Amino acid sequence: MFRWDLVWQYLLLQDPDKLFLSALWTTVWISVLAQFIGVVLGLFLALMRMSRYPFLTWPARAYIWFFRGSPLLVQVLLLWDGLPRVLNNPNLLLPAWACVVVAFSLNEGAYMSEIVRAGITSVDAGQMEAAKSLGMRFSLAMRRIILPQAARVIIPPLGNEFNNMLKTTSIASVIGLVELTGTAENYGAISFSIFELLIVSTVYYLLLTTIWGYIQGWIENRLDPNRKLKTEINQKSFANRMLGFGTSKTGGAGTLASGR
Amino acid sequence: MSDTMDTLPAGYRGENGLEMVRAESIVKRFGDLTVLNGVDLSVKRGQVVVIIGPSGSGKTTMLRCINHLEKIDDGRIYIDGELMGYRIVNGKPVEDREANIARIRAQIGFVFQRFNLFPHMTALENIIEAPIHVLHEPKNVVVERAHSLLAKVGLAEKANAFPHKLSGGQQQRVAIARALAMNPKLMLFDEATSALDPELVGEVLKVMRQLAEEGMTMVVVTHEMGFARDVADHVIFMDKAVIVEQGTPEQVFDHCENERTRNFLGMIK
């Protein structure tokens, strides 16, 4: 018999241990940390990849080739079980959370590097020349001139990557980390209510990705160079609506607005 | 700096004082194509040198080589006595350290055909960016200078406008102000009016003319023959990767000796 009461109990955190609250927290901090490291890694990999020196491009290519070309689950397992055995040193057994964060970050770095590269490539070459002609060095020009412009192209896919990351954390349950999926599996198995708890975790995943969708929309809106113009139009149409004149489309938050 | 000084050719500090730009037999190739085939150039302090010539003659490349936006395959370029872009190691030129190239570039203003303003910054922010982050000048000093430069190019009202809200002529004038904010000792203009609608060319030329009158050392690549005739101290006609003819505006425009120059000037008129 399917117990809806259990679903509601866990969903509304009515259980004594508030199991899903800590699970939710684990999922969020692992996602944020891994995504952050992934973005930083991706930035450096992209710069290496675009360098004119082969001793930088080739390691970056090999890295991207490996981490995009093999399953994340396998990478996690290799870090978890494989590393201590391959190096024949049981002290290298990393805690589960560390394995997960390292594997997710390394994997995400490979994907982010391609996104960052596309962003940097999208900036007109004249921008770097102008920066150089003003006496800027490469690093300063990147930081002040190129990356702020590349961000408009990078942010929308970065948002999608983070959405993915929130859900990918479920892989962590395989090595015993009790995030959302792990919690459902562990406690569901004990109380024979695994599907009830999986539904609870599904609702929480949806909650996270929905909230993120709104944040993403807000960020993209802020990066939009025509934001001011749009706001004016929206305000006008709002007034119009209040006065009962026709309707107009408003690009509200939460939509996957294109980043330009 | 001492290593570059040692390599200066004898008699370099000649009767006209230090030259601002001295280029010696510059060779530049793009693959099999030779775009500069042994070009010499001398620009003295306060001089306005205008380079004219048909498309593909190498004049823009020459200008870009001066501030090392292009590497050169042979020859030497000196900016105010310093070897540009290279240092001599065991008698051979090796590309210089980035910091050194950037240091010399900071003293050279470059105005691009396509303006290349930073689109994510207002006109004012475009101008103050490099003085603050490259020269590390205090912000209030730079902002004050930026406002007076904007007034100078006739855009005092546009300080807070983003580039996409400005016309081409206005953008180019902001770009000139941005270059001037670095207090350069040399200004390079690469077809600064070629991307403009005809009615906007005048306002940019006016600013360039004013700069020349103030004694700025300038190298100008242009198709504006009227400007070249009025403003230039020295006119260089380039064709097919070499300098074909050079001299005062009168010599080049009215008494040119070379047939290629005559043909080119005939086509322009």
Side-chain angles (χ1 to χ4, degrees), chain B residues 30-61:
Chain B
F30 290 120
D32 291 338
L33 185 72
T34 303
V35 269
L36 295 174
N37 197 357
V39 175
D40 297 309
L41 177 73
S42 165
V43 183
K44 297 182 182 69
R45 202 180 284 275
Q47 210 180 21
V48 177
V49 172
V50 173
I51 307 177
I52 59 172
S55 306
S57 58
K59 51 194 193 312
T60 286
T61 307

Side-chain angles (χ1 to χ4, degrees), chain A residues 52 127 129 132 138 144, chain B residues 64 71 98 117 129:
Chain A
R52 58 195 159 110
Q127 292 291 309
E129 292 196 340
K132 282 184 173 174
F138 180 82
R144 299 280 315 170
Chain B
R64 290 165 58 84
K71 292 180 199 174
E98 190 199 9
L117 288 180
E129 177 68 17

Side-chain angles (χ1 to χ4, degrees), chain A residues 52-53 124-140 143-146 148-149 152 225-226 228-229, chain B residues 64 67 69 71 95 98-99 102-103 105-106 108 110 112 116-121 129-130 133-134 162 164-165 178-179 182:
Chain A
R52 58 195 159 110
Y53 302 110
D124 183 72
Q127 292 291 309
M128 181 53 99
E129 292 196 340
K132 282 184 173 174
S133 80
L134 289 164
M136 292 192 193
R137 295 168 69 167
F138 180 82
S139 51
L140 179 66
R143 195 155 48 82
R144 299 280 315 170
I145 308 300
I146 307 299
Q149 295 181 59
R152 289 199 189 116
N226 297 318
K228 280 204 183 100
L229 193 74
Chain B
R64 290 165 58 84
N67 78 343
L69 284 179
K71 292 180 199 174
E95 190 165 24
E98 190 199 9
R103 181 181 56 78
R105 275 195 189 126
I108 306 174
F110 198 103
F112 296 86
N116 293 344
L117 288 180
F118 306 134
H120 58 304
M121 299 180 180
E129 177 68 17
H133 290 100
V134 176
F162 281 92
H164 69 272
K165 296 277 187 190
R178 177 175 73 175
M182 296 292 283

Side-chain angles (χ1 to χ4, degrees), chain B residues 150-224:
Chain B
L150 276 171
K152 180 180 179 154
V153 298
L155 293 171
E157 310 298 310
K158 298 291 185 183
N160 295 318
F162 281 92
H164 69 272
K165 296 277 187 190
L166 300 173
S167 74
Q170 291 171 331
Q171 287 190 50
Q172 191 61 295
R173 284 184 283 153
V174 172
I176 294 173
R178 177 175 73 175
L180 291 175
M182 296 292 283
N183 287 324
K185 52 188 179 186
L186 167 69
M187 287 285 287
L188 308 175
F189 292 84
D190 180 18
E191 306 201 23
T193 56
S194 296
L196 298 177
D197 293 337
E199 74 271 20
L200 303 176
V201 169
E203 63 192 52
V204 172
L205 288 182
K206 197 178 131 200
V207 172
M208 292 167 64
R209 204 176 284 254
Q210 189 191 342
L211 267 181
E213 281 163 10
E214 289 169 5
M216 175 64 78
T217 312
M218 296 164 54
V219 182
V220 182
V221 169
T222 189
H223 290 293
E224 296 292 327

